[in-house]
Amino acid sequence: MISRRRLSTGPLHQLGLIIARNDSGIRSLQDLQGKTFAFVDPSSASGHLFPEAGLEQAGHDPKTLFSRVIFSGSHDASILAVENRKVDAAAVADRILASAVHNGQVKQQDFHVVWTSPDIPESPMVWRKGLDPELQAKLRNAFAAIKDVPWGDQGMLDGFQPTSDAAYDVVRDTAKVLDLDLRRLK
């Protein structure tokens, strides 16, 4: 099994963040009480699942913590919703915030990171058991050789590297906190 590697955030992971405007006075999860909030999408790891689990693990019920919750549809939309004061805070992926800053859409100094998730592993590329070892080596080398390919709003794809099933234990642990059956998610 191999996993994507991107220049902007390191080899095998991304982070979910909860951000607020610097001038909002929001500095902690407790400060989110009664505020408006944007998640990205119900199935987004960094823009919903990990932040929601993080809130629950910190003793906050996301269903009662906020005065209003929306799903913005994209990380960029959530960032801009905070920037334009449409919501008080939002859950977003670190690399997409970094890309928005890099591209001049927003200024880093306008935001405060209220919470950071544990490392979220990337989506793996896998092959079937019993695949010829020589073909596995060729595939591994070909994927590792991929360099500097634009990858949507995620930055630049910078090859793939080996990973293991254990790297995804954090996903299973997060699913347990949220009482999710990962086999039923699509």
Side-chain angles (χ1 to χ4, degrees), residues 106-121:
V106 296
K107 296 176 184 168
Q108 182 70 47
Q109 64 266 23
D110 290 345
F111 296 95
H112 178 75
V113 175
V114 177
W115 175 87
T116 303
S117 75
D119 292 350
I120 303 169

Side-chain angles (χ1 to χ4, degrees), residues 81-148:
V82 173
E83 173 72 11
N84 296 319
R85 296 179 172 87
K86 301 296 183 192
V87 295
D88 297 308
V92 299
D94 66 327
R95 80 168 52 91
I96 299 177
L97 177 60
S99 178
V101 169
H102 176 78
N103 293 331
Q105 294 171 300
V106 296
K107 296 176 184 168
Q108 182 70 47
Q109 64 266 23
D110 290 345
F111 296 95
H112 178 75
V113 175
V114 177
W115 175 87
T116 303
S117 75
D119 292 350
I120 303 169
E122 291 287 351
S123 302
M125 300 289 286
V126 298
W127 44 72
R128 67 175 166 78
K129 288 182 181 179
L131 187 65
D132 176 57
E134 188 175 313
L135 181 54
Q136 286 182 30
K138 287 179 182 178
L139 287 169
R140 188 178 295 111
N141 292 336
F143 280 112
I146 295 171
K147 301 288 183 210
D148 301 324

Side-chain angles (χ1 to χ4, degrees), residues 160-177:
F160 290 72
Q161 64 185 30
T163 190
S164 68
D165 183 68
Y168 297 85
D169 286 346
V170 68
V171 175
R172 290 183 273 274
D173 294 343
T174 298
K176 286 178 188 172
V177 170

Side-chain angles (χ1 to χ4, degrees), residues 29 49-60 115 174 177-178:
L29 294 179
L49 299 173
F50 275 74
E52 183 174 22
L55 288 166
E56 287 187 19
Q57 288 173 315
H60 301 283
W115 175 87
T174 298
V177 170
L178 298 175

Side-chain angles (χ1 to χ4, degrees), residues 149-161:
V149 176
W151 199 257
D153 63 358
Q154 302 276 320
M156 298 295 283
L157 184 62
D158 187 29
F160 290 72
Q161 64 185 30

